[in-house]
Amino acid sequence: MLHEQRTAIVTGASKGIGAAIALRLAQDGHAIIANYASDEVGANEIVDAIKKAGGQAIAVQGDISDASCMPRLFDAADQEFGSVDVLVNNAGIMRLSAVASTSDADFEAHCAINIGGVFRGMREAANRMNEGGAIISLSSSVVGLYQPTYGVYAATKAAVEAMTHVLAKELGSRDITVNAVAPGPVGTDLFITGKPEGVIESIKEMNPFGRLGTPEDIAAAVSLLVGPDGRWISGQTLRANGGIV
Ligand SMILES: NC(=O)c1ccc[n+]([C@@H]2O[C@H](COP(=O)([O-])OP(=O)(O)OC[C@H]3O[C@@H](n4cnc5c(N)ncnc54)[C@H](OP(=O)(O)O)[C@@H]3O)[C@@H](O)[C@H]2O)c1
């Protein structure tokens, strides 16, 4: 049985998929810690929207590649709302390039944010999350599609899936579920930036539904996994992608 007032930390909640997850989990009754790195305006807009709808939320700045970030997010949740029931490791970056031309700096940034940030979130949750909790980490359906230029990004997401499956086995005895959600292409800044319109159209055509995913499609999958109907789903990667792979 889940207690009534639940608190969720959502990393990268200032825009895109993270913003939709924060709004959806607030609608579902969670108090929200909306983390952002640089977009304070975007994060505050999400917090205001949640409050206007009668929910509770605060924005907390923090770079998830910084070791002090996750403890601060959990401290903020404890101070404002009492404890943490849900962690959504959503924040991530994607810089595409062929392996041959990927710089050390881009490789290190992917590892520090997409793996390091998720690892520290998982570790903090493993030590501090309430029984009955849920940890979701965003992977990607490029794990499976393996297209050119996605090498380093896909490798970081494969690492997220591996940690998810192991952590599920470590936390089941505390009634904490651990899952990954792996979207296909979703129409956010991360996906759209730098892609010509023709490329986006051809990616839409690859999908059986003939469209990109929306942030709300992904938020709905997260809502299912962290809600009362998701308690027997753990150690899974849910490919929320319209059947593209
Ligand atoms: N869009 C897709 O097609 C797609 C597909 C599969 C998986 N995903 C995954 O879904 C997640 C969200 O992607 P999105 O498309 O919503 O991306 P997005 O629109 O680019 O938004 C990224 C969010 O992450 C935050 N962020 C980036 N680096 C951060 C850091 N070091 N510390 C804290 N926050 C940081 C950004 O914060 P600021 O704005 O404040 O800087 C922003 O809120 C990512 O993990 C991505 O890999 C996306």
Side-chain angles (χ1 to χ4, degrees), residues 116-219:
V118 171
F119 156 67
R120 291 195 189 87
M122 287 179 168
R123 183 173 61 185
E124 206 66 22
N127 284 302
R128 297 176 63 170
M129 182 171 273
N130 289 329
E131 286 197 6
I135 302 169
I136 304 292
S137 302
L138 272 284
S139 176
S140 168
S141 290
V142 299
V143 179
L145 278 167
Y146 296 125
Q147 289 153 318
T149 74
Y150 285 83
V152 169
Y153 175 74
T156 63
K157 295 302 189 180
V160 166
E161 292 188 18
M163 285 193 289
T164 295
H165 298 295
V166 172
L167 189 63
K169 292 185 175 151
E170 295 175 353
L171 296 188
S173 60
R174 283 179 38 213
D175 192 24
I176 294 174
T177 63
V178 188
N179 291 290
V181 170
V186 177
T188 65
D189 288 357
L190 176 138
F191 172 74
I192 304 273
T193 304
K195 288 194 179 72
E197 189 55 41
V199 171
I200 293 169
E201 283 308 311
S202 66
I203 290 173
K204 282 184 194 168
E205 282 163 20
M206 280 168 63
N207 192 289
F209 285 70
R211 67 170 176 87
L212 299 179
T214 65
E216 291 72 25
D217 289 329
I218 309 310

Side-chain angles (χ1 to χ4, degrees), residues 12 14-15 17 37-39 62-64 90 139 153 157 186 188 190:
S14 60
K15 56 170 68 72
I17 294 170
S38 59
D39 186 359
D63 178 339
I64 63 161
N90 163 79
S139 176
Y153 175 74
K157 295 302 189 180
V186 177
T188 65
L190 176 138

